[in-house]
Amino acid sequence: MDFALSDEQRMIVETTRAFVEAELYPREAEVERTGQLRREVIEEVKAGAIEAGLYAANIPEEHGGAGLDTLTWLLYERELGRANYALHWTCVARPSNILCAGTPEQRERYLAPCVRGETWDCLAMTEPDAGSDLRGMKASARPDGRDWILNGTKHFISHADIAGFTIAFMATGSEETPRGPKKRITAFFVDKGTPGFTVREGYRNVSHRGYTNSILEFDDCRVPSENVLGEPHRGFEVANSWLGATRLQVAATCLGRAERAFGHAVDWAASRRQFGAPIGRNQGVSFQLADMATEIKASELMLLESAWKYDRGTATDADMAMVKLKASETLAFVADAAIQIHGGMGLMEELPLERIWRDARVERIWEGTSEIQRHIISRALLRPLGA
């Protein structure tokens, strides 16, 4: 494995970092203060991201994106992850690559407008009674002639308020397996404005201010059969084939934020003086910095290796679970330690540390809790031995 970045990769990293520092950092305070991301800000930053070639960079070239390989894409995500989540996710949007799994007609109708920056997509899986246990979902769809009728509720659905459509995963029956009956799942494109489909305001979240979540309600919502993504009853197969790298994406953004917090901690330890000397001379501070640097380096190496393996088709579920687990918990540790090094100043809004600390909490929950990651890892260790 060659750890040296190519000239192209260095250019992408430098371009993305410069954009983040010039266009996103100055707008963070307003979003954090108001909890809102004004539409004027979205359009202004989005236009700059499109001009810089940073918009929809994860999508293959044949569909209008930059076609980045996984390693380069995660280097790019790492830089974006340094900034307020709402700003980088909404204004420098990366459409879900599951849209590429659609038919040519579906890609033209749903993917192309997202790549052009005309709308956003959202995925609806989680329910009030089905979080980690997605097979336990109660929202369902039944066939009715050439249509499907959708009923049920989804919640914690990110940025559904601005999305032009959702990809809703619905239970569509069950099948017998060696482990007992298992629900069959189908994915549907559902356009906003479809009768029976309602988007309601979600919950106020301590993490990622400005990044909204919504509650989606389906009440005898009728969609045509051509809105099925993939094949009926094969929704999980589509999701598993196209969404596997999302845990690597979470790890990359966690790493970017951890590095930002660490940078502040190092600068503070070198410049803050107490008892006539920089506080970094005290082992109580300097050893914390050493531990923070070590954890960040370990997360970085795990991320790079997993991305390298993913591009070669050899990354396993356990690989991706390990790096998501490690990076999210590293971010929590680094954010907390950075605040401790800063003392009271670390909790003031003048610095980004209290935000990074708050935002870190959700990373150990969404895209699979730390417990789910440990389950995936331990299962990979034990199942080959029959346990």
Side-chain angles (χ1 to χ4, degrees):
M1 183 177 179
D2 185 358
F3 288 93
L5 300 186
S6 67
D7 290 341
E8 180 184 10
Q9 287 172 330
R10 280 195 296 271
M11 181 190 70
I12 290 171
V13 167
E14 291 168 3
T15 300
T16 308
R17 182 173 298 185
F19 186 87
V20 166
E21 293 177 351
E23 302 296 334
L24 302 189
Y25 282 2
R27 293 175 167 89
E28 288 180 325
E30 178 188 341
V31 178
E32 291 297 325
R33 184 178 65 255
T34 65
Q36 303 290 326
L37 184 53
R38 291 185 290 116
R39 191 63 185 230
E40 311 91 89
V41 172
I42 294 174
E43 295 302 326
E44 182 180 345
V45 178
K46 181 172 68 175
I50 292 172
E51 183 179 356
L54 299 176
Y55 202 87
N58 61 308
I59 298 298
E61 288 184 290
E62 61 264 32
H63 302 313
L68 302 181
D69 60 81
T70 305
L71 178 56
T72 308
W73 168 57
L74 292 175
L75 294 171
Y76 151 89
E77 290 288 346
R78 174 180 176 179
E79 296 305 320
L80 290 173
R82 298 173 185 273
N84 167 279
Y85 205 92
L87 276 167
H88 77 73
W89 190 255
T90 309
C91 304
V92 196
R94 285 83 79 201
S96 174
N97 64 353
I98 198 173
L99 296 171
C100 298
T103 64
E105 293 77 14
Q106 289 172 338
R107 292 197 298 268
E108 181 60 31
R109 182 175 177 182
Y110 295 108
L111 173 59
C114 291
V115 172
R116 292 192 297 264
E118 296 167 2
T119 191
W120 292 263
D121 64 290
C122 69
L123 302 181
M125 291 187 183
T126 306
E127 299 179 7
D129 294 321
S132 297
D133 178 21
L134 288 174
R135 289 284 186 183
M137 67 174 59
K138 297 177 181 177
S140 63
R142 59 179 174 82
D144 184 49
R146 289 187 52 79
D147 297 335
W148 291 80
I149 308 298
L150 280 55
N151 282 285
T153 300
K154 302 288 184 179
H155 78 162
F156 294 157
I157 309 306
S158 298
H159 51 78
D161 56 331
I162 62 172
F165 63 93
T166 186
I167 299 174
F169 290 77
M170 297 283 179
T172 52
S174 63
E175 59 184 339
E176 289 298 324
T177 74
R179 295 173 178 268
K182 181 174 67 174
K183 284 186 179 178
R184 297 193 293 186
I185 306 297
T186 303
F188 299 89
F189 288 104
V190 186
D191 296 291
K192 188 171 284 184
T194 301
F197 174 39
T198 303
V199 179
R200 294 200 294 109
E201 184 177 354
Y203 314 98
R204 292 181 60 85
N205 186 2
V206 69
S207 298
H208 299 318
R209 288 177 182 167
Y211 186 76
T212 57
N213 69 86
S214 299
I215 299 168
L216 309 188
E217 294 178 344
F218 301 87
D219 184 10
D220 286 340
C221 176
R222 181 180 293 270
V223 299
S225 58
E226 56 262 31
N227 278 32
V228 172
L229 175 59
E231 298 178 19
H233 316 306
R234 307 289 296 238
F236 263 152
E237 286 85 343
V238 174
N240 289 337
S241 297
W242 288 90
L243 298 178
T246 56
R247 286 174 178 167
L248 299 183
Q249 182 181 39
V250 171
T253 57
C254 285
L255 181 58
R257 254 170 292 141
E259 288 176 326
R260 186 178 179 187
F262 178 65
H264 279 279
V266 171
D267 289 345
W268 185 260
S271 61
R272 173 66 168 167
R273 300 180 67 87
Q274 291 287 282
F275 305 106
I279 62 173
R281 289 188 183 177
N282 300 315
Q283 289 183 348
V285 173
S286 63
F287 283 13
Q288 283 193 81
L289 294 175
D291 288 342
M292 294 158 77
T294 301
E295 293 301 309
I296 288 172
K297 176 59 69 175
S299 297
E300 178 186 30
L301 293 175
M302 289 178 70
L303 180 68
L304 294 175
E305 186 208 32
S306 293
W308 181 78
K309 292 174 71 174
Y310 195 90
D311 280 331
R312 284 155 181 76
T314 60
T316 65
D317 288 342
D319 289 328
M320 293 182 282
M322 285 180 187
V323 69
K324 197 273 182 178
L325 173 67
K326 181 64 175 177
S328 61
E329 299 206 344
T330 291
L331 172 59
F333 163 68
V334 169
D336 189 74
I339 286 178
Q340 194 69 21
I341 288 171
H342 278 77
M345 196 63 202
L347 292 168
M348 300 299 109
E349 292 183 354
E350 282 72 13
L351 293 174
L353 297 178
E354 59 88 22
R355 170 180 64 78
I356 294 173
W357 179 61
R358 280 187 286 103
D359 292 350
R361 192 60 190 89
V362 74
E363 305 296 350
R364 289 177 282 161
I365 297 174
W366 66 2
E367 293 298 338
T369 64
S370 291
E371 290 74 22
I372 286 294
Q373 309 310 322
R374 289 184 170 96
H375 170 70
I376 293 169
I377 297 162
S378 61
R379 182 180 61 189
L381 296 172
L382 296 171
R383 272 192 179 177
L385 302 178

